Amino acid sequence: MYSKILIANRGEIAVRIIRACKEMGISTVAVYSAADTDMLHVALADESYCIGPPEATESYLNAERIISAALVSGAQAIHPGYGFLSENPDFAALCRKNGIDFIGPSTENMRRLGDKSTVKQLMADAGLDVIPGTDVVDTVEEALAAAGSIGYPVMLKCRSGGGGRGIRLVRSDEELRAQFDAARAEGAAAFGDGAVYIEKYVNPAKHVEFQILADEAGNVVCLGERDCSIQRKNQKLIEESPTPNIAVETLKRYRKRVVAAVKKIGYTGVGTLEFLLDSTGSLYFMEMNIRLQVEHTVTEILTSIDVVKWQIRAAAGISLNFTQEDVDLSGCSIECRINARGPGKVNILHVSGGPFVRFDTYLVTGTEVSPFYDPLLGKLVVYAATREEALRKIKAALCELVIDGVPNNIEEQIDIVSSDSFMSGNYDLNFFSK
């Protein structure tokens, strides 16, 4: 096991990883931009290094500066969190070139599976149904030809996208021409990769994702699935597990198919397979996230399995000490993402309490929320024995949570979880368009 890990990230996920390391007896190294000098992850880490100005391209996306901090500190491994460099195979290769473990899949697996335009063929070969789509399209002319073949509407997606960014619904040639360069520019700015591809638009549909853990010995377990269908502009707002209104036996069958596919492709570590579930009950593979998901907390509170710790153990070559039969998926967990709606300073912070209530955040009283990064302030997660009780619990927790001084979406989340469609479980990706 590692004795020192550098966390190449910020905000709530950096705090989350540092806490896991502390519980494992691992020393931590934080990196931060000039805008994040007073952030919680910097205070919690055993040592910290400033790696540049506020702009992410000059700090959290600057691979050389992060590697330098790791070498100076003597860190044996780097945990990338999510976003930033977490799915960048060149960064993973640079880590290993410098004798530093990258806490994630191998560089080879990252190149194979991180390309969202080609991973579908691998999953099709592994027995999963996939959404019709293309490989990377380099020119707008190629994109137009592909869209014409597939049929409008289509989704224009960045190959290295994540967090809902780099995705556009396109309904005509004119829209595709107008959006093509913008999508490429967004991918280049956010992920350092401007490649895009085309995918058939499935509607109506639910967005369902399966969490897996895999070790180097070939053991794979599925930690259930999460329904992520409450989205605005492809940004997830609420996740829950299990997916409501789907038979338990159907979910078990899907989980077995996912495990079989992951074993066949030889993946190691933490990963998430994302699907669209259409109105007929057919499940179509979209993409695989080869990193820790923002919403891993939903799975942790449901299963009582620490996903972050097992991600670290898997990277260190430690085998799973439990099997699929040991995974308890009873009960219901619901998560609401609390987002800023602009910059501000936290004047009053009151965190919801009670049994099986969790709030992952980087906020403390006095925290300055800057406009430079993702607006996520924290994730409010609850667990209960039944969905009905979980609904009451998440409403109560939202009503208790106070973040004064920073405009946020707490009131909107209360409205969503109180709506008839959410309470019934009969919602899909069209939730905000109805």
Side-chain angles (χ1 to χ4, degrees):
M1 179 48 66
Y2 309 113
S3 60
K4 183 181 287 190
I5 292 175
L6 182 145
I7 296 90
N9 217 298
R10 66 177 302 280
E12 64 86 18
I13 192 57
V15 171
R16 170 69 184 90
I17 297 165
I18 289 169
R19 286 173 174 158
C21 288
K22 285 180 178 292
E23 292 177 16
M24 298 173 77
I26 300 170
S27 296
T28 54
V29 181
V31 293
Y32 61 96
S33 73
D36 282 346
T37 302
D38 298 322
M39 289 295 105
L40 182 59
H41 77 283
V42 179
L44 289 179
D46 296 294
E47 54 190 293
S48 57
Y49 297 85
C50 182
I51 54 171
E55 294 78 12
T57 53
E58 297 299 319
S59 52
Y60 297 107
L61 287 170
N62 192 310
E64 289 75 15
R65 291 178 182 174
I66 292 170
I67 293 293
S68 294
L71 293 173
V72 168
S73 67
Q76 300 154 310
I78 291 178
H79 197 307
Y82 54 73
F84 293 135
L85 296 169
S86 62
E87 294 180 279
N88 188 314
D90 293 333
F91 178 64
L94 187 62
C95 289
R96 285 157 181 153
K97 180 180 178 181
N98 284 275
I100 302 166
D101 279 5
F102 177 84
I103 298 178
S106 67
T107 305
E108 295 72 28
N109 258 337
M110 291 186 78
R111 294 194 191 282
R112 284 197 311 143
L113 304 175
D115 185 338
K116 294 178 174 64
S117 63
T118 60
V119 67
K120 289 189 293 184
Q121 186 58 52
L122 289 171
M123 290 302 180
D125 293 341
L128 299 179
D129 298 322
V130 302
I131 300 174
T134 70
D135 292 331
V136 168
V137 288
D138 296 317
T139 66
V140 69
E141 288 76 19
E142 288 182 41
L144 289 167
S149 176
I150 294 172
Y152 288 106
V154 298
M155 302 297 289
L156 178 63
K157 293 188 171 185
C158 292
R159 175 174 62 184
S160 298
R165 289 174 291 181
I167 303 174
R168 286 166 166 76
L169 173 61
V170 179
R171 301 182 183 277
S172 66
D173 284 354
E174 292 72 23
E175 286 187 16
L176 184 52
R177 288 192 183 94
Q179 297 287 348
F180 187 79
D181 288 338
R184 286 169 60 91
E186 183 177 8
F191 311 106
D193 182 5
V196 296
Y197 65 101
I198 303 289
E199 190 174 82
K200 179 63 180 174
Y201 179 51
V202 179
N203 183 59
K206 275 181 166 289
H207 184 145
V208 180
E209 60 186 27
F210 291 77
Q211 177 72 64
I212 61 97
L213 280 174
D215 63 29
E216 292 181 355
N219 301 305
V220 180
V221 295
C222 178
L223 303 182
E225 84 297 327
R226 299 179 288 255
D227 190 324
C228 308
S229 303
I230 303 295
Q231 301 181 20
R232 175 182 283 115
K233 296 181 179 179
N234 302 307
Q235 293 279 349
K236 298 171 184 174
L237 289 175
I238 298 179
E239 300 93 5
E240 68 172 303
S241 184
T243 304
N245 300 342
I246 296 183
V248 172
E249 290 305 314
T250 301
L251 291 174
K252 287 182 178 178
R253 185 171 68 252
Y254 288 153
R255 292 166 192 154
K256 288 180 180 179
R257 292 182 64 190
V258 165
V259 167
V262 171
K263 286 184 177 180
K264 190 168 183 178
I265 65 174
Y267 184 79
T268 300
V270 165
T272 305
L273 283 73
E274 304 207 3
F275 295 81
L276 288 181
L277 181 68
D278 73 10
S279 57
T280 70
S282 297
L283 198 69
Y284 294 101
F285 173 81
M286 286 192 298
E287 62 188 45
M288 183 171 180
N289 283 297
I290 51 176
R291 55 167 168 79
L292 192 66
Q293 290 280 91
V294 176
E295 59 273 19
H296 72 277
T297 37
V298 174
T299 297
E300 288 184 330
I301 200 169
L302 180 72
T303 63
S304 297
I305 292 171
D306 193 312
V307 175
V308 176
K309 288 181 181 178
W310 276 109
Q311 184 184 28
I312 294 170
R313 292 178 184 131
I318 297 173
S319 297
L320 297 174
N321 65 0
F322 60 93
T323 67
Q324 189 67 57
E325 289 69 30
D326 298 319
V327 178
D328 184 2
L329 297 173
S330 60
C332 174
S333 57
I334 301 175
E335 171 181 279
C336 289
R337 300 193 189 194
I338 308 303
N339 295 324
R341 288 183 163 164
K345 181 178 180 179
V346 179
N347 299 318
I348 300 173
L349 176 65
H350 174 75
V351 175
S352 314
F356 308 109
V357 176
R358 170 176 170 178
F359 186 52
D360 279 25
T361 187
Y362 67 95
L363 300 179
V364 297
T365 301
T367 296
E368 294 272 3
V369 175
S370 78
F372 294 105
Y373 311 111
D374 187 276
L376 183 65
L377 298 175
K379 301 171 302 191
L380 184 62
V381 198
V382 303
Y383 169 83
T386 66
R387 187 170 189 267
E388 291 72 22
E389 186 180 352
L391 285 167
R392 292 192 293 270
K393 189 182 286 283
I394 192 66
K395 289 180 203 175
L398 284 165
C399 289
E400 185 179 348
L401 181 63
V402 177
I403 305 173
D404 180 69
V406 179
N408 60 69
N409 69 332
I410 294 174
E411 291 295 329
E412 179 192 34
Q413 292 285 30
I414 294 172
D415 291 341
I416 293 172
V417 299
S418 301
S419 67
D420 291 340
S421 59
F422 188 82
M423 291 181 66
S424 69
N426 294 322
Y427 59 87
D428 56 32
L429 287 166
N430 294 318
F431 180 87
F432 285 105
S433 62
K434 293 178 179 179

